[in-house]
Amino acid sequence: MAFHGYEEVEHTADVALRVWSEDFPGLLSQAAKGLYELTDIDSDTNSTVNRCFFIPSGNYENEIVDFLNELLFFLEEKSEIYRKFSFFERQDKLEVHAEGCKALSQDRYIKAVTFHDLNIEESDLGLEVVITFDV
Amino acid sequence: MGDTRRFSFGHASSSSIFASQALLQESLKDKSIEQAVNASSLPGLVEAVMVMPDMHQGYGFPIGGVAATDPETGVISPGGIGYDINCGVRLMSSRIMLDEVEGWLPDLADALNRYCPSGVGVASDLKLSKEELADACVKGSRWAIGKGFASEEDIEYTEGKGCLAGADPDKVSQRAMERGRNQLGTLGGGNHFIEVDLITDVFDENAARVMGLYRGDLAVQIHTGSRGFGHQICTDYVRRLQSAVNKFGIKLPDKQLVCAPISSAEGQDYIGAMRCGANYAFLNRQLLADKVRQAFESVLAGKVDYWQLKQVYDIAHNIGKFEEHLVQGESKTVCVHRKGATRAFGPYSEDLPDKYQEIGQPVLVPGSMGTSSWVLTGTETSMKRSFGSSCHGAGRVMSRSQAKRRVWGEDLIKQLAQDGIEVRAGSLPGLAEESPQAYKNVDMVVESVVGAGIAKKVAVLRPIVVIKG
């Protein structure tokens, strides 16, 4: 198994991803990559977008769901996808700096990120989680 | 035929499954039954969690689940209603015979595709101000009357007359309002569709006649919900209630089952917001129905005598409602969660229009793309056994990635064309995900609910034009 990555997990009606990484920021970045792959996006690689947003601090499960839901919102409302992330712990929130490009079209719509059976577990490689998305 | 099995695994309540042996075997292959058992741990259930034969694995609740809770001691669970609040189906009838319009079907498919915005990220031609959206959320389908997008007859033949009372826009987040402003009157993607169907079989001549359905005529189905507006409402409250379960000391086997006591401020806030989502969805299908009528007029006016479409019924299959039901022999108000299950009220029930009092409520059961759909009616037995609920569709058996590996979108369009079905789809991979092979046989699902007595057969519809996002 690579040090970090993601793979699709079979689900009868929706879609799910297994994501792993050595640390939590890495887990967030890998989950974002997986999410964008699931949505099957055609992007304008000549464009550049930057965005800063905040996630309320809490447990890791809440933070990963909030983070991915933010990405879905910016994809739907601003047609933006992000490839590079920087994370900064603030007093009661996680500050996210995201850099990416404009999305031109997408083939699959993801309604939301769910909490279904969501447990971030520690393994020899770091952290691992299965995330189920409603489509 | 239909059978009921009761499972109990030491939780507070139990689960009842309506399914034939074959469908039950199929359901054991995924987590749907485990999810039904998990849902039975919700506090304040008045009876077992019911599962319909089109059940399949969801997230938290199984798709096909029905759970009724006590308003005083029970909870409301956003996950028991789903992200697509009031996803549902509308059926419209016509007196158009297939042979009158057969040559115009490609034009009709193109017109429907042009008039009805569909697909991922496609916006409406209607952009509401925040105040207009708040007004629409409170009024539901009736909002469309003053704007010329609906008739009184449309409203009369919609579940709850297209409006849940008590919708509270103040409980809806700014983000949901932002997402909802330009999505009214859009179909979306995924399994949502607009279909022109041929009525091929009638099993109950009287009920079909009352609904205006005649063998050989065309009908139209619209399947969609509350779009990003509803998704955001559910997202907001599933997140917010993560802490509420700790506050109220509720222990759950799955975080997606989060809930709050109905009587709590958190529960009441969600109910007010959820009703906004439900009303948005009723209005969304109403606005799409108006666009479908425009498309029919643009192609068929002057070519056939009667091109008009009349509302048969509009029904939700993801919703939470307070209804009167018999619980242990006594009439009681309960909060019925339906997640991938259709209300199926029997004859002489409250909320049925006069026209449907004797036959019971129309129950709309779309099949998978390319296969038949069914029109059923609710029964006295559904009122006694399933909180007036029945199945909502075929139910998936194959994952989306499996379906895409086995089916090419181009091949599917050719196959459907050979079967006489005109398809317009925004996404070929999306079309492959929705291929008929990915779904259960809807006829077996219907035989199960009819065998269990919770619905009666009325008519069968075969698709001839399919619009997918």
Side-chain angles (χ1 to χ4, degrees), chain B residues 128-209:
Chain B
L128 306 189
S129 67
K130 189 184 162 197
E131 291 72 26
E132 286 172 318
L133 179 55
D135 188 39
C137 289
V138 170
K139 290 179 178 163
S141 293
R142 191 159 284 284
W143 185 89
I145 286 237
K147 309 284 189 292
F149 300 130
S151 67
E152 286 292 347
E153 193 178 63
D154 293 338
I155 308 298
E156 176 70 9
Y157 299 117
T158 300
E159 177 178 342
K161 295 188 169 45
C163 181
L164 297 192
D168 186 350
D170 288 343
K171 305 304 179 193
V172 175
S173 69
Q174 288 301 316
R175 177 164 287 191
M177 296 298 272
E178 196 176 329
R179 290 179 72 176
R181 283 176 59 196
N182 66 350
Q183 293 188 351
L184 270 171
T186 64
L187 185 65
N191 63 357
H192 295 159
F193 64 80
I194 295 170
E195 227 176 64
V196 181
D197 298 295
L198 173 67
I199 301 167
T200 55
D201 289 291
V202 171
F203 290 85
D204 183 335
E205 295 282 353
N206 179 51
R209 182 182 48 75

Side-chain angles (χ1 to χ4, degrees), chain A residues 10 13 70 108 115-116 118, chain B residues 175 254 256 399-400 433:
Chain A
E10 290 291 318
E70 287 292 310
R108 181 192 270 153
F115 280 91
H116 174 50
L118 188 75
Chain B
R175 177 164 287 191
D254 185 344
Q256 189 63 27
S399 75
R400 293 169 188 278
E433 287 184 8

Side-chain angles (χ1 to χ4, degrees), chain B residues 23 365 367 371-374 393-394 440-450 457 460:
Chain B
L23 289 173
V365 186
T371 65
S372 294
S373 297
W374 284 82
K440 294 176 190 176
N441 181 336
V442 70
D443 297 347
M444 288 172 69
V445 170
V446 167
E447 291 299 343
S448 286
V449 292
V450 170
K457 293 179 187 175
V460 178

Side-chain angles (χ1 to χ4, degrees), chain B residues 416-447:
Chain B
L416 293 170
Q418 283 171 12
D419 294 341
I421 305 169
E422 290 280 339
V423 180
R424 300 292 181 272
S427 158
L428 289 177
L431 194 71
E433 287 184 8
E434 293 298 317
S435 65
Q437 295 95 311
Y439 283 84
K440 294 176 190 176
N441 181 336
V442 70
D443 297 347
M444 288 172 69
V445 170
V446 167
E447 291 299 343

Side-chain angles (χ1 to χ4, degrees), chain B residues 324-364:
Chain B
E324 289 286 321
H325 287 282
L326 278 179
V327 179
Q328 291 162 355
E330 287 188 20
S331 182
K332 184 174 172 58
T333 300
V334 293
C335 177
V336 184
H337 299 66
R338 295 192 180 93
K339 169 86 177 292
T342 306
R343 198 186 72 170
F345 277 7
Y348 308 111
S349 298
E350 276 187 40
D351 188 47
L352 292 192
D354 290 346
K355 191 165 88 167
Y356 295 145
Q357 281 289 321
E358 283 190 21
I359 63 168
Q361 178 214 299
V363 177
L364 312 175

Side-chain angles (χ1 to χ4, degrees), chain B residues 405-424:
Chain B
R405 282 196 297 272
R406 293 191 190 182
V407 181
W408 284 99
E410 292 93 336
D411 294 344
L412 183 57
I413 287 184
K414 282 181 200 159
Q415 179 60 53
L416 293 170
Q418 283 171 12
D419 294 341
I421 305 169
E422 290 280 339
V423 180
R424 300 292 181 272

